[in-house]
Amino acid sequence: MELEQANSTVTTKPSSYSSFLEKIVLHRQLVMSLAGGGFLLAGFLAEFGEGSLWGVAAVIFYVLSYGVGGFYKAKEGLDDLIQDRSLNVEVLMILAALGAASIGYWNEGAILIFIFSLSGAMETYTWQKSEKDLSALVKMAPLEANRVTDTEELELVSVDELQIGDRIMIRSGERVPADGVVTRGTTSIDESTITGESVPVNKDIDDDVFNGTMNERGSIVVEVTKENANSLFQKMIRLVEQAKSNRPPTQQFIEKVEGPYVITVLILVALMLVVPPFVFGAPFQETFYQAMVLLVVASPCAVVASVMPALLAAISNGARRGVLMKGGTYLEQLSKAQAIAFDKTGTITKGEPTVTDFHIFHENDRNQILANAVSIERQSNHPLAKAIVAFGDKEKVNGAEMIQSSEDITGYGVKAQINEETWMIGNFEMMSQFQSNPSIDHTLEEKWQGEGKTVVYISRNNEVAAMLAIKDEIREEAKELIADLHKLGMKTIMITGDHEATAKSIAVEAGLDDWISHCLPEQKVSEIERLREKYGSVVMVGDGVNDAPAMAKADIGIAMGSGTDVAIDTADIVLMKSELKKINSSFKLSSRLNRIVKQNLVFSVSVILLLIAANFAQQLSLPLGVIGHEGSTILVILNGLRLLK
């Protein structure tokens, strides 16, 4: 079969009946709650009938209201009690409803079950709504791909079978099944699943495409560059799963005290049942009724619902804008940070350095030195290496000699053997380490560094032969971000391996509070530790392999989406489109989250205390207690959902 000839697939629209059933199943808790409300209404109407049969019918309807409306909440409470041996708010509600029924208050017990189940169904619904943007991401992951064989035919394979180097065909309207590079055709790709931006991006030969994005027009052939498990999209999905399961400290504390709190309430109810009737001679039925009201109003439903709906709404908000978080802990803690440290190259600067100056010592062969340097640096993906290669290509150098071996020396540069000569390309520290008396023009070096340029040296047989100046422009958005962070009261620091003069020039131009120069990867970790001791909580922003240890050591690590896989895997927050302004919006989102959670907790605790006081003053009926208690639960959920905006 020719590449252009593709088997057409017939898709059938799901019937409206099937779609209706799916919605019923999805919202079954709400359906059961409303059905319980229907039986409650039937029981209430039956009470107006004359005769004993109507009374029996009313009880039957109330029992059905108990069983149908309270099924899911009762199941949840009993599962926790039996499997985890833990008490929760559902147990309190079950006991209160059964207690009301036992003294003849069937209708009030049924009202309790209905409103409690309805608020539970609404909470479940809001959770589903909050998770919608996150869960939709998982569903977008393609499962199959059209692999192009050596005979230019197509074979349908699972995405897990794709190997690096395979060619795949992607038609118009299909999702890209793997990260790769376009080798044939042109198109436009909707990358909103990765970046949050809906404007399609034009793609031509040698352009990168990413798993999970949508091919809008034109068929293309792509060479796979990453296996499915390592694709950017799959990394995003793993971030999503971690975010959904991660509990922030506030929620962990609430869950920890919920069990002891429920036991305390049960003890108080038991005392209330015993002390007033037997010590003070109060009527048992009245005392029992007030005890059931206490069970309801003292239940911490609203407190429990104060955090997670708001948290999921905030995470969903960030995901829609291309900011992925590994969990609620990091979002909750972000705005509490006192300082933020930045890597320089690719973070503060554009990460696209260019050679601005090239100086030769001792009348050496300029072309030969530059040609060998370019040949050595072609083997590296470091931004500075790419700048040297680009400069050599622009100068049209040729005649590079054969490289016998090369060795990367992390934090310093590269060492190579060419025709039994030792060549080194790197920083001043590398020259000093391997040469007893490096011949360097410090005047020129200081001049370049004062201009914010990085100086790279080239030596042959332990003698400096040339030096280059490389400049990386500062991002305009970096200056805006740093100014915004200062308004939030944050201290901003740059950590770089560059020389002091270069680091100072970049830091001053960007508006940073401080800078730390001459840092190797392991030294960045030590500097983060020092910053944590000084400021408390510290955020680290980076994009490279050398930033990963420091990001891991910081309280929160933020990675640029254009960075290395190691940086993305290590980070707690990922900026999918590498837009620094999203850091500021993430801080604001974190502040909003913490503010709304505090509002919810203060409001919910206040309502509980007010209802308990009203109950002890015997000014509260069971229906009013239920309305006040469950109403507060619904309000805190709705307040949390404001974070979706």
Side-chain angles (χ1 to χ4, degrees):
M1 176 174 70
E2 293 296 326
L3 193 61
E4 288 78 9
Q5 296 174 336
N7 291 333
S8 61
T9 56
V10 181
T11 58
T12 355
K13 259 189 167 179
S15 68
S16 56
Y17 178 72
S18 301
S19 180
F20 175 73
L21 285 180
E22 287 178 4
K23 288 182 179 179
I24 291 293
V25 172
L26 179 64
H27 302 299
R28 57 189 178 276
Q29 190 172 341
L30 180 60
V31 171
M32 293 281 278
S33 176
L34 293 175
F39 288 124
L40 168 63
L41 179 61
F44 179 74
L45 294 175
E47 286 188 353
F48 289 96
E50 296 181 0
S52 58
L53 287 178
W54 282 107
V56 172
V59 172
I60 292 173
F61 283 130
Y62 286 140
V63 170
L64 288 172
S65 179
Y66 273 58
V68 174
F71 174 78
Y72 282 105
K73 300 304 287 183
K75 182 177 181 297
E76 185 179 339
L78 292 174
D79 283 346
D80 286 347
L81 184 61
I82 296 170
Q83 295 176 8
D84 302 331
R85 295 183 180 179
S86 63
L87 293 169
N88 55 24
V89 294
E90 282 76 16
V91 173
L92 297 183
M93 294 299 102
I94 294 168
L95 292 175
L98 293 177
S102 68
I103 56 174
Y105 288 91
W106 286 97
N107 56 352
E108 296 192 355
I111 291 172
L112 165 60
I113 290 293
F114 169 63
I115 299 181
F116 184 59
S117 65
L118 185 62
S119 68
M122 286 188 65
E123 184 175 352
T124 301
Y125 174 76
T126 55
W127 271 59
Q128 292 169 342
K129 183 175 178 63
S130 300
E131 291 183 300
K132 184 178 179 182
D133 292 320
L134 303 177
S135 300
L137 186 67
V138 180
K139 296 177 183 177
M140 288 179 185
L143 300 177
E144 295 178 321
N146 287 307
R147 183 163 57 190
V148 182
T149 66
D150 294 336
T151 57
E152 295 297 302
E153 294 184 348
L154 296 181
E155 57 177 353
L156 193 64
V157 297
S158 166
V159 291
D160 291 328
E161 294 180 37
L162 293 176
Q163 301 292 322
I164 296 174
D166 282 352
R167 293 181 301 149
I168 53 177
M169 179 185 180
I170 307 160
R171 306 183 189 90
S172 177
E174 292 182 342
R175 289 201 177 274
V176 177
D179 286 6
V181 176
V182 178
T183 60
R184 190 186 310 176
T186 59
T187 187
S188 60
I189 300 284
D190 178 358
E191 296 185 340
S192 57
T193 53
I194 299 289
T195 65
E197 298 292 338
S198 57
V199 179
V201 180
N202 293 327
K203 298 290 181 179
D204 210 331
I205 305 297
D206 294 333
D207 285 341
D208 293 324
V209 294
F210 301 100
N211 184 5
T213 56
M214 176 67 76
N215 183 19
E216 299 243 317
R217 58 175 179 81
S219 296
I220 54 173
V221 175
V222 170
E223 181 179 326
V224 177
T225 56
K226 289 182 182 177
E227 295 179 358
N228 184 50
N230 297 321
S231 70
L232 180 60
F233 195 70
Q234 290 298 325
K235 289 180 185 296
M236 290 173 62
I237 289 175
R238 287 197 288 273
L239 288 177
V240 167
E241 295 301 330
Q242 289 174 348
K244 289 161 75 173
S245 60
N246 183 279
R247 293 284 196 271
T250 305
Q251 181 67 20
Q252 291 176 22
F253 175 76
I254 291 173
E255 292 174 354
K256 185 177 180 180
V257 302
E258 182 182 0
Y261 178 84
V262 171
I263 293 172
T264 303
V265 171
L266 290 175
I267 292 172
L268 288 175
V269 169
L271 291 173
M272 195 171 179
L273 288 173
V274 173
V275 175
F278 293 100
V279 177
F280 302 105
F284 179 77
Q285 185 167 341
E286 182 180 323
T287 301
F288 191 93
Y289 182 83
Q290 294 302 321
M292 295 306 101
V293 176
L294 179 63
L295 273 179
V296 173
V297 299
S299 172
C301 293
V303 176
V304 173
S306 293
V307 180
M308 287 309 292
L311 179 67
L312 285 174
I315 293 176
S316 175
N317 184 323
R320 287 203 311 272
R321 289 158 177 76
V323 181
L324 287 186
M325 303 157 193
K326 288 186 179 178
T329 300
Y330 312 112
L331 182 58
E332 184 182 76
Q333 297 298 317
L334 184 61
S335 61
K336 299 176 183 178
Q338 300 298 311
I340 180 167
F342 295 91
D343 172 48
K344 178 177 77 71
T345 305
T347 306
I348 295 296
T349 61
K350 294 178 180 178
E352 300 171 358
T354 56
V355 175
T356 58
D357 303 275
F358 183 50
H359 180 74
I360 294 289
F361 291 99
H362 308 308
E363 299 181 357
N364 286 303
D365 185 343
R366 183 181 191 277
N367 179 79
Q368 190 63 56
I369 289 174
L370 186 55
N372 284 350
V374 168
S375 179
I376 294 168
E377 295 289 27
R378 281 193 193 278
Q379 303 177 53
S380 173
N381 283 322
H382 194 280
L384 297 184
K386 291 180 179 179
I388 295 172
V389 171
F391 179 69
D393 292 341
K394 181 181 176 182
E395 295 285 310
K396 298 180 180 178
V397 296
N398 53 59
E401 298 170 304
M402 181 69 68
I403 299 174
Q404 275 82 46
S405 65
S406 67
E407 175 190 1
D408 279 324
I409 303 175
T410 305
Y412 293 99
V414 61
K415 186 177 181 181
Q417 289 295 128
I418 300 179
N419 289 339
E420 299 183 356
E421 291 182 330
T422 300
W423 287 73
M424 290 186 294
I425 306 174
N427 53 27
F428 176 77
E429 285 74 17
M430 185 175 189
M431 301 299 113
S432 301
Q433 182 175 344
F434 290 96
Q435 299 171 92
S436 58
N437 186 24
S439 175
I440 294 175
D441 186 344
H442 289 287
T443 304
L444 186 58
E445 173 194 19
E446 291 168 3
K447 175 180 179 293
W448 286 350
Q449 290 176 349
E451 295 170 353
K453 299 174 182 178
T454 299
V455 181
V456 175
Y457 306 92
I458 303 171
S459 76
R460 178 170 58 186
N461 289 331
N462 296 334
E463 181 181 355
V464 175
M467 56 192 292
L468 304 100
I470 300 176
K471 182 70 181 285
D472 192 1
E473 295 296 326
I474 295 177
R475 295 183 180 205
E476 283 302 319
E477 62 173 343
K479 298 178 183 179
E480 295 175 11
L481 169 66
I482 291 163
D484 289 337
L485 291 174
H486 287 161
K487 291 176 184 176
L488 297 175
M490 297 282 295
K491 291 294 182 181
T492 56
I493 305 102
M494 182 178 72
I495 303 179
T496 178
D498 251 330
H499 284 266
E500 172 67 15
T502 303
K504 178 181 178 180
S505 174
I506 296 292
V508 170
E509 186 179 350
L512 291 154
D513 291 318
D514 199 1
W515 62 90
I516 303 168
S517 59
H518 295 285
C519 272
L520 297 175
E522 60 271 20
Q523 292 173 320
K524 287 187 177 183
V525 175
S526 302
E527 291 298 338
I528 290 293
E529 288 180 341
R530 186 182 64 80
L531 290 173
R532 289 181 70 186
E533 290 175 2
K534 183 176 181 180
Y535 295 109
S537 180
V538 175
V539 178
M540 173 69 192
V541 185
D543 70 332
V545 174
N546 60 333
D547 302 319
M551 289 163 61
K553 189 68 179 177
D555 296 275
I556 299 171
I558 300 179
M560 314 296 279
S562 59
T564 62
D565 290 348
V566 175
I568 292 173
D569 288 340
T570 306
D572 306 306
I573 298 174
V574 181
L575 309 178
M576 298 313 301
K577 207 180 177 186
S578 302
E579 291 180 328
L580 287 176
K581 62 183 180 182
K582 297 293 175 66
I583 294 178
N584 185 40
S585 62
S586 297
F587 270 95
K588 290 180 178 178
L589 185 62
S590 175
S591 295
R592 285 184 62 204
L593 170 65
N594 288 321
R595 185 167 62 251
I596 285 177
V597 167
K598 286 177 183 176
Q599 290 171 357
N600 286 347
L601 290 173
V602 170
F603 174 72
S604 57
V605 171
S606 299
V607 169
I608 289 173
L609 294 176
L610 182 64
L611 292 174
I612 290 174
N615 181 49
F616 278 114
Q618 297 186 350
Q619 299 296 315
L620 189 67
S621 65
L622 185 57
L624 287 177
V626 170
I627 292 170
H629 179 268
E630 298 307 326
S632 65
T633 303
I634 293 171
L635 286 175
V636 298
I637 293 171
L638 294 176
N639 191 40
L641 286 181
R642 291 194 295 125
L643 287 165
L644 284 171
K645 294 183 179 180

